[in-house]
Amino acid sequence: MNLSTEDPLDRNRFPLDEWALVEHEFDANSQGLVETLFATGNGYLGLRGNLEESRDGYMYGTFINGFHETWPIRHAEDAFGFAQVGQTIVNVPDAKIIRLFVDDEPLVIGEADLLSYSRVLSFKDGVLTRELDWRTPSGKHVRIRSHRLVSFTDRHYVLLDYEVEMVDRGASILLSSQIINRQDGGDEFQRGKKETEVAFDPRKAESFTDRVLQSRIAREEGLRSMLAYRTTHSGMTIAVAADHDIITDNEWDATTRVDADFAETAFRVRAEPGVPVRIIKHVAYHTSRSVPTRELADRADRTLDRMREVPVEDVYTWQREWLDDFWDRSDIVIHGHPVYQQATRWNLFQLAQATARTDGGGVAAKGVSGSGYGGHYFWDTEVYVLPFLSYTAPNVARNALRFRHQMLDAARQRAHEMNQKGALFPWRTINGLESSAYYAAGTAQYHIDADISHALMQYVSATGDDELLAQGAIDILVETARLWADLGFWRTGGDDHFHIHGVTGPDEYTTVVNDNLYTNVMAKANLRAAYNACERLRETDPASFERLTMRLHLAEEELVEWAAAAEAMFLPFDDKLGIHPQDAQFLEKELWDLENTPPSQRPLLLHFHPLVIYRFQVLKQADVVLALLLQGNEFTPEQKRKDFEYYDALTTGDSSLSAVVQSIIAAEVGYADLAEHYFSTALFVDIANLHHNTSDGIHIASTGGIWSALVYGFGGMRDHGGKITFDPRLPADWPHLEFRITLRGSRIRVDLEQDSMTFTAETGDGAEVFVRGRRVAVAPGEPTTVKLGAVEELEGYPTLSDIEGSIREDGSVITASIPTISVDHAVLDAGLD
């Protein structure tokens, strides 16, 4: 393993800026990557970073959180309980298009003679800005500036601000502002995707073969156009409208035309040199699960009417003010490391763009930046994104948890289909129904119940929002506890433990196992949380507890059973190796020799049948190691170190969810260099396209994990049982790390240096925290500093050779090998040897 943490970006193309992502060179062959990196969104609505001129694109996309079409899942061999309804996010009508023609010559940036080019995504302003100078084929000099803003303050609104100026000579200019239904209508200018794609990749979205958006409204009035649709099967509705202002001293005229899948407002301008032409394009998107399109059209009209009355400068000001507040709560400052600083702020900004205005919706795996994973919600949200939200944006976290609560009835029905009591949340979904066709790595991941319960209790602990529980969210705890109590079983006669069989943990390279350590320890916490929450509600709000018992027919004996099952939960441990086996049979397998697996065969899931992978000790992502983070109070420091060393050597990193967790636990157990390596790897997952699929959208869970890697990893924060503790592990060459957390309404700034940790209450009444066992009372206006001593650091990193040759409890030797390398089907198809 190379522990290098060098800057992976080409700084000639992407110059360093701590508050922006900047591009100074256009590359037509990497548009998929930069379309994702320069995407703009607000959690509800997302626009990929396509060029305004709508050419040279890889994936033209505009996405709305939760707006999806359904389709029947056709299993080659069906069985009872298999998922039946697929759900895929829809590429909604694209309104970001403004095509430019000068003397009837189109601007095609990939072919144009560019004198200068710059694109900037500002993390402070929330605006994507592009500036370029173009020399037309006839030699005329044209200057183009554009600004794109997806509003954080009005989630339905987009501002497109496009300016053209003839520098040296006049010309005839045509500006064609368009809305295109790309999902069905296509785009005659799209030349196809330029980046190399893997033929099979389960991380991509499904494709539709039938028409998705059925036209209901297509109208125009003056410079305003409107398109509205109803999806064919899911019955969702959408309206998109665009209106325009033109600001110029040149002569101009305009026409608007509309049909079912296309709307255009064309401006013809006699442009004089030095006299700019500015088009302000106001766009509104409204969607619903059931509201008729005519009502959505009225809403879109009202949005446009309202925003056109506002000076455009105010729109930019509101965006900046929103982000000022966001950074006051969320910024993390890594002093002395500008490369890390820029990438960290990019990741944090992506969290804002994925979550800020979900407003009752979920957080998809790709946010609203692309179509990867079909726009589905996974357990990633609760484990990787909710910690950031709970400690920096509690209201957004509350909305995300309320969204899960709204899925509870569907989860109850799913549990019934699986012959279980309680509720089983879907592993991947948009509308609440299980959409994973491969149950072994989908439905079998029952741990999602415990993940959601964990996020709920983490939020309540961070905020003190017991009201959310009393208002009904406690039902999540009750119904998930019921599932665990029903799914698990007691094995008596020399054992007297509570076991859970036939499940899959987070590691999808090992499926349908007995006593998965992660699942068991999370279920234990889930059962305990349900018991404690019910008892607390009984004590503090008897009326609400009474309503709970009547609403859910909750019996006293259930509470007793949950407490007993939690206390007796079986957590497998191997005395010979001194580790927690990932599951009951995991250690019986041989090792996959990752160190000698060629890079051409990675990631494994794209090159080996699942059964081949399942026969080995090999991990797609952290499993036991994730348990060490989320339920760290269940393990001793020695157990954590031994577990980390064993499983780190077996982890492929094929999942973007893994590196952040490995970084946090590596820091905790003492592998300082390795912790920084994993942090750097996670930090650049998307910016440097390390998993070669950033073109499908941002890995939102990984961006949330960056916050955790800094706060939990190097900052050493833990929040077990409502107690906030710190045991920091600042890298040796980091002089100062600064971050903020919000605890029960108080915003606390944490300043970590090599030999001290200082807490300052910036708002609120302060808080109580613990630093390496010492209680610290953080009072308003009184910075409190704690001196830190040195901690033990371990050299190197764990390797397979540390495990190979170890003796199992039965006396057998653990060996390592590689399965027969799979055939390169592309070579076979080409008829080559």
Side-chain angles (χ1 to χ4, degrees):
M1 179 186 293
N2 180 4
L3 297 186
S4 171
T5 57
E6 295 179 358
D7 184 355
L9 295 187
D10 175 0
R11 291 303 176 182
N12 290 318
R13 182 181 179 191
F14 300 106
L16 188 60
D17 186 321
E18 294 186 4
W19 279 104
L21 182 66
V22 181
E23 180 188 37
H24 276 178
E25 296 176 6
F26 177 82
D27 178 6
N29 294 317
S30 63
Q31 285 307 292
L33 170 64
V34 294
E35 285 168 8
T36 295
L37 298 186
F38 287 94
T40 50
N42 61 14
Y44 167 74
L45 170 65
L47 278 60
R48 285 180 61 78
N50 307 120
L51 304 175
E52 283 82 359
E53 294 77 19
S54 192
R55 304 174 194 267
D56 300 300
Y58 169 81
M59 180 199 298
Y60 299 108
T62 301
F63 301 99
I64 292 179
N65 188 359
F67 189 82
H68 69 281
E69 177 64 307
T70 55
W71 45 275
I73 298 176
R74 305 189 186 280
H75 300 276
E77 296 184 25
D78 206 349
F80 180 82
F82 278 16
Q84 298 298 315
V85 180
Q87 307 137 50
T88 302
I89 195 169
V90 173
N91 189 357
V92 302
D94 185 2
K96 67 175 101 62
I97 307 159
I98 302 178
R99 290 189 169 126
L100 171 64
F101 300 81
V102 175
D103 291 335
D104 297 326
E105 295 290 342
L107 172 58
V108 182
I109 291 180
E111 303 171 2
D113 181 5
L114 297 181
L115 306 176
S116 67
Y117 173 90
S118 173
R119 183 158 53 163
V120 179
L121 179 62
S122 170
F123 313 146
K124 280 187 174 182
D125 297 329
V127 177
L128 176 62
T129 300
R130 191 195 62 182
E131 297 184 0
L132 59 89
D133 284 84
W134 169 39
R135 182 161 47 209
T136 69
S138 64
K140 294 182 179 180
H141 183 181
V142 188
R143 181 163 295 146
I144 301 108
R145 305 179 186 89
S146 68
H147 299 82
R148 182 183 303 173
L149 178 155
V150 179
S151 175
F152 286 116
T153 58
D154 187 325
R155 68 176 186 151
H156 301 284
Y157 177 71
V158 176
L159 173 68
L160 300 163
D161 189 344
Y162 195 97
E163 183 176 284
V164 182
E165 181 182 349
M166 300 304 301
V167 176
D168 52 358
R169 286 181 282 168
S172 172
I173 290 178
L174 175 69
L175 289 161
S176 174
S177 172
Q178 302 177 6
I179 305 173
I180 297 178
N181 172 17
R182 298 187 187 279
Q183 183 68 68
D184 300 298
D187 176 4
E188 67 273 24
F189 290 103
Q190 185 170 348
R191 301 179 181 180
K193 300 180 178 181
K194 296 182 176 63
E195 298 184 349
T196 301
E197 292 187 50
V198 179
F200 164 74
D201 191 337
R203 300 168 296 186
K204 293 183 178 291
E206 301 83 3
S207 297
F208 296 107
T209 57
D210 300 323
R211 185 173 178 94
V212 173
L213 296 174
Q214 302 293 334
S215 177
R216 292 292 184 267
I217 297 173
R219 73 176 187 224
E220 96 251 0
E221 182 179 352
L223 301 182
R224 180 177 298 188
S225 54
M226 172 87 68
L227 299 177
Y229 303 87
R230 183 182 185 274
T231 56
T232 302
H233 299 293
S234 68
M236 299 192 73
T237 50
I238 181 172
V240 54
D243 207 344
H244 305 79
D245 294 313
I246 180 170
I247 304 171
T248 185
D249 290 331
N250 293 297
E251 295 181 7
W252 64 276
D253 64 78
T255 58
T256 299
R257 63 188 180 98
V258 172
D259 62 32
D261 293 317
F262 178 80
E264 178 191 39
T265 298
F267 296 91
R268 290 171 294 275
V269 184
R270 301 286 299 176
E272 298 296 331
V275 183
V277 181
R278 185 182 181 190
I279 302 295
I280 307 294
K281 184 175 183 179
H282 307 271
V283 181
Y285 284 87
H286 283 266
T287 55
S288 174
R289 292 185 179 274
S290 58
V291 171
T293 52
R294 64 179 179 274
E295 180 176 331
L296 294 185
D298 289 342
R299 295 181 189 178
D301 277 330
R302 289 195 296 270
T303 297
L304 293 181
D305 291 343
R306 175 167 43 84
M307 296 307 294
R308 288 199 64 194
E309 293 177 355
V310 175
V312 70
E313 291 75 16
D314 287 356
V315 177
Y316 290 117
T317 298
W318 296 341
Q319 189 86 336
R320 174 63 180 259
E321 289 174 347
W322 191 96
L323 281 165
D324 285 345
D325 178 66
F326 171 81
W327 291 116
D328 284 346
R329 294 179 281 106
S330 309
D331 193 20
I332 299 179
V333 184
I334 306 172
H335 295 267
H337 289 273
V339 171
Y340 284 167
Q341 185 66 77
Q342 180 194 37
T344 294
R345 287 195 175 120
W346 182 87
N347 278 272
L348 296 176
F349 183 68
Q350 298 313 317
L351 284 170
Q353 294 202 132
T355 67
R357 296 307 305 274
T358 51
D359 292 9
V363 180
K366 299 296 184 181
V368 284
S369 66
S371 62
Y373 290 114
H376 290 166
Y377 315 124
F378 295 77
W379 67 290
D380 310 5
T381 299
E382 282 73 26
V383 171
Y384 292 86
V385 179
L386 261 292
F388 165 77
L389 296 177
S390 292
Y391 288 105
T392 67
N395 186 62
V396 181
R398 194 179 204 271
N399 285 337
L401 291 165
R402 292 184 66 250
F403 171 74
R404 282 296 193 184
H405 183 227
Q406 292 165 7
M407 287 186 173
L408 191 54
D409 283 342
R412 290 187 179 109
Q413 180 59 37
R414 183 59 175 162
H416 179 73
E417 291 174 355
M418 300 300 293
N419 298 94
Q420 305 293 162
K421 297 177 182 178
L424 176 59
F425 284 93
W427 180 70
R428 63 184 298 172
T429 190
I430 297 177
N431 63 9
L433 300 179
E434 177 63 78
S435 186
S436 174
Y438 186 56
Y439 75 89
T443 295
Q445 294 200 50
Y446 282 66
H447 66 82
I448 189 171
D449 269 18
D451 302 329
I452 292 170
S453 297
H454 170 80
L456 173 59
M457 294 315 297
Q458 183 181 60
Y459 163 80
V460 171
S461 174
T463 63
D465 186 6
D466 294 317
E467 181 184 11
L468 179 64
L469 290 176
Q471 288 178 343
I474 194 171
D475 294 11
I476 292 176
L477 299 177
V478 170
E479 297 289 31
T480 53
R482 281 174 166 167
L483 179 125
W484 296 121
D486 185 52
L487 178 66
F489 64 95
W490 293 87
R491 177 167 288 167
T492 57
D495 188 336
D496 293 330
H497 281 112
F498 192 77
H499 296 262
I500 298 173
H501 284 186
V503 299
T504 297
D507 169 33
E508 294 167 12
Y509 285 173
T510 312
T511 66
V512 192
V513 299
N514 296 339
D515 287 321
N516 169 252
L517 185 279
Y518 176 87
T519 301
N520 283 18
V521 76
M522 291 295 287
K524 176 179 181 176
N526 192 164
L527 289 160
R528 183 178 289 157
Y531 173 82
N532 290 338
C534 287
E535 290 297 335
R536 176 174 172 80
L537 189 64
R538 188 206 308 259
E539 177 183 342
T540 61
D541 191 348
S544 291
F545 180 76
E546 182 66 23
R547 288 192 294 271
L548 168 67
T549 59
M550 295 179 65
R551 182 171 68 248
L552 301 184
H553 306 290
L554 179 63
E556 189 69 29
E557 51 266 28
E558 288 187 271
L559 298 177
V560 175
E561 182 183 16
W562 301 343
E567 186 65 26
M569 183 67 68
F570 180 68
L571 302 182
F573 187 78
D574 186 280
D575 290 318
K576 184 72 174 178
L577 296 174
I579 66 166
H580 292 85
Q582 184 168 296
D583 59 72
Q585 292 81 39
F586 188 80
L587 298 182
E588 298 175 7
K589 306 172 186 178
E590 303 306 326
L591 308 175
W592 187 303
D593 189 354
L594 288 175
E595 294 173 1
N596 291 302
T597 301
S600 63
Q601 299 297 308
R602 308 282 288 271
L604 302 185
L605 80 163
L606 298 185
H607 300 280
F608 296 90
H609 190 283
L611 285 176
V612 176
I613 300 173
Y614 296 164
R615 296 186 184 113
F616 288 82
Q617 290 188 47
V618 63
L619 279 64
K620 182 182 178 186
Q621 64 200 70
D623 194 300
V624 170
V625 173
L626 180 57
L628 304 181
L629 169 61
L630 300 185
Q631 302 298 331
N633 53 332
E634 294 285 346
F635 306 92
T636 68
E638 176 63 17
Q639 289 172 346
K640 290 180 182 180
R641 185 179 66 82
K642 295 282 285 186
D643 282 342
F644 175 79
E645 290 173 340
Y646 191 92
Y647 291 105
D648 189 69
L650 307 180
T651 305
T652 62
D654 287 349
S655 169
S656 64
L657 302 180
S658 198
V660 289
V661 179
Q662 291 169 276
S663 174
I664 294 168
I665 302 302
E668 180 179 356
V669 302
Y671 284 100
D673 291 342
L674 186 58
E676 186 172 357
H677 164 74
Y678 281 133
F679 168 72
S680 178
T681 299
L683 190 63
F684 292 102
V685 157
D686 284 316
I687 299 180
N689 197 21
L690 299 184
H691 284 245
H692 309 292
N693 66 342
T694 299
S695 57
D696 295 322
I698 294 160
H699 296 82
I700 295 301
S702 183
T703 65
I706 292 302
W707 183 90
S708 293
L710 289 163
V711 174
Y712 287 154
F714 303 135
M717 189 179 98
R718 296 292 186 275
D719 48 4
H720 302 310
K723 182 179 179 180
I724 305 298
T725 64
F726 291 90
D727 185 8
R729 296 289 191 275
L730 193 64
D733 65 340
W734 290 27
H736 185 185
L737 176 67
E738 175 188 331
F739 59 90
R740 290 162 176 79
I741 56 174
T742 300
L743 300 174
R744 299 184 175 242
S746 295
R747 190 173 71 226
I748 310 298
R749 189 180 79 236
V750 182
D751 289 278
L752 175 61
E753 298 180 333
Q754 289 294 331
D755 60 355
S756 67
M757 197 170 201
T758 301
F759 300 88
T760 306
E762 295 184 331
T763 66
D765 298 328
E768 178 185 78
V769 300
F770 294 83
V771 178
R772 294 181 181 169
R774 175 182 170 183
R775 177 182 176 275
V776 179
V778 185
E782 298 179 13
T784 303
T785 299
V786 179
K787 292 297 182 181
L788 302 173
V791 294
E792 178 187 6
E793 291 190 2
L794 303 173
E795 298 294 331
Y797 53 88
T799 65
L800 278 176
S801 60
D802 299 328
I803 303 172
E804 189 176 9
S806 298
I807 309 299
R808 299 184 180 88
E809 286 188 333
D810 65 3
S812 61
V813 179
I814 298 177
T815 63
S817 63
I818 305 175
T820 302
I821 298 299
S822 60
V823 176
D824 188 334
H825 294 284
V827 172
L828 286 183
D829 291 342
L832 303 175
D833 293 332

